[in-house]
Amino acid sequence: MATSSVICFLSLLPFSLAPSVLDIPVLDSYHTDDPGISVDAADTKLVYDLHNAEVRFEWEGSSAFYQVVPGLMAILLLNIAPCGVVLPLSNPYTDDMLYATECNAQMEFGYVAANGSTIIITGFKPGNTLQIPKGALHWGLNKSCTRAVSIIKFFNGPDISFVRPDIQIGSIPESILNVSMGEELAGKISELKKLNPEDPIARCPKCMRMCGLV
């Protein structure tokens, strides 16, 4: 039943994953009278343990673990701490699908649509999914003071590189920013160069003060 559920879920994704997943040889035994073999999950490369996968980052209670399925896709388990913020970013090479395993009513997701409209999604529940198109700027905010959020992200390619817009803007020469935004604002924006481009998550100071976490 669990295998069928996973296959059915993958078949609903907006990118072409299901045919490749169904081509995995071990699944062919389900369509024959051959009883097959019994393999422990820890001893096969067909099973991925996201909780013990390579750690991409871990910061103040939030963490992300990811696994690449060679030539096919990437899977990321994202744990967002109370008052945690997924900073605005985009994935230039892949679409991705969010699947909530643990969530709360205070969790918000947002992204910028292709027409420039800002979309804020609230009321996200366990079992809900959200498609993020390739290149779309998106973010998340867990406003809960006590409850963490766990999200599984499915990417339709192995490269899950991300780009933060603040880092991009900070990389523009100040002479260009002076013309585009004025010298006063350009001077402040140039400070963005000091940010760490590898940090995709932080904690919201205002939320932490309201929750008594500082």
Side-chain angles (χ1 to χ4, degrees):
M1 180 64 71
T3 302
S4 299
S5 298
V6 171
I7 294 173
C8 289
F9 174 75
L10 291 174
S11 70
L12 297 175
L13 297 181
F15 31 76
S16 301
L17 292 181
S20 299
V21 174
L22 292 175
D23 285 341
I24 296 176
V26 73
L27 295 182
D28 290 343
S29 63
Y30 289 100
H31 306 290
T32 70
D33 295 329
D34 186 343
I37 59 175
S38 177
V39 180
D40 189 279
D43 298 327
T44 173
K45 294 182 179 180
L46 293 171
V47 175
Y48 300 101
D49 184 359
L50 292 179
H51 288 282
N52 293 303
E54 179 181 352
V55 177
R56 187 173 178 83
F57 73 91
E58 191 164 2
W59 193 84
E60 290 194 29
S62 295
S63 59
F65 307 83
Y66 77 102
Q67 178 69 53
V68 173
V69 181
L72 178 61
M73 63 184 294
I75 309 171
L76 183 143
L77 172 62
L78 178 62
N79 301 306
I80 308 171
C83 294
V85 180
V86 178
L87 299 174
L89 55 84
S90 62
N91 300 103
Y93 306 114
T94 54
D95 303 280
D96 68 271
M97 177 76 82
L98 306 180
Y99 177 82
T101 58
E102 296 181 33
C103 206
N104 61 72
Q106 287 75 45
M107 184 69 205
E108 290 185 358
F109 292 100
Y111 71 96
V112 178
N115 64 0
S117 299
T118 299
I119 311 297
I120 303 293
I121 299 174
T122 60
F124 217 68
K125 302 176 182 178
N128 285 173
T129 61
L130 173 64
Q131 179 190 357
I132 304 295
K134 178 171 62 177
L137 183 63
H138 58 283
W139 59 87
L141 170 60
N142 181 10
K143 295 181 177 180
S144 173
C145 298
T146 58
R147 296 181 59 189
V149 171
S150 291
I151 301 291
I152 297 178
K153 300 186 71 175
F154 297 89
F155 299 84
N156 66 336
D159 190 340
I160 63 172
S161 301
F162 64 86
V163 178
R164 282 177 38 190
D166 48 357
I167 301 297
Q168 286 183 306
I169 294 176
S171 299
I172 298 174
E174 191 167 348
S175 59
I176 302 299
L177 291 175
N178 286 340
V179 177
S180 176
M181 302 179 177
E183 293 187 7
E184 182 177 354
L185 183 58
K188 295 179 180 179
I189 290 179
S190 64
E191 293 294 308
L192 296 174
K193 296 178 182 179
K194 300 178 182 179
L195 297 176
N196 184 353
E198 299 299 321
D199 286 341
I201 199 164
R203 298 186 88 172
C204 174
K206 180 178 179 180
C207 175
M208 293 184 69
R209 288 193 298 268
M210 292 178 61
C211 293
L213 298 178
V214 290

